[in-house]
Amino acid sequence: VPAALPQRLPARGPCEHGRQLRYLSELDAAERQRHRHRLKRLFQQAGVPPWLRERLPLCFENGRPVALG
């Protein structure tokens, strides 16, 4: 993980292959709860510490998180 990340990465909205790029902070409580385990697994696999997770974009496909940005 880089030592210093920007406050917010600029990319947002549609990305490749019809996927949607969103930030964790943009998800409502119900959506966070619905994807809780999947998001936790993605962040842990990438080695992202909890305090950085709000700043990283997530790639969604068909309403499901599939990758970190």
Side-chain angles (χ1 to χ4, degrees):
V1 177
L5 291 175
Q7 286 297 314
R8 186 161 206 124
L9 297 175
R12 191 168 123 205
C15 55
E16 65 181 37
H17 306 293
R19 295 177 178 152
Q20 184 73 23
L21 192 61
R22 300 171 66 193
Y23 288 88
L24 187 60
S25 60
E26 296 173 349
L27 304 180
D28 62 30
E31 201 168 10
R32 280 183 182 227
Q33 183 66 26
R34 186 170 48 248
H35 301 301
R36 187 180 78 205
H37 297 293
R38 176 78 177 140
L39 290 170
K40 183 177 180 179
R41 188 171 36 249
L42 285 172
F43 284 124
Q44 286 179 338
Q45 287 173 349
V48 178
W51 59 88
L52 291 178
R53 295 175 183 181
E54 294 285 330
R55 295 182 181 180
L56 294 179
L58 302 163
C59 192
F60 281 76
E61 183 175 37
N62 298 322
R64 183 172 178 251
V66 293
L68 299 177

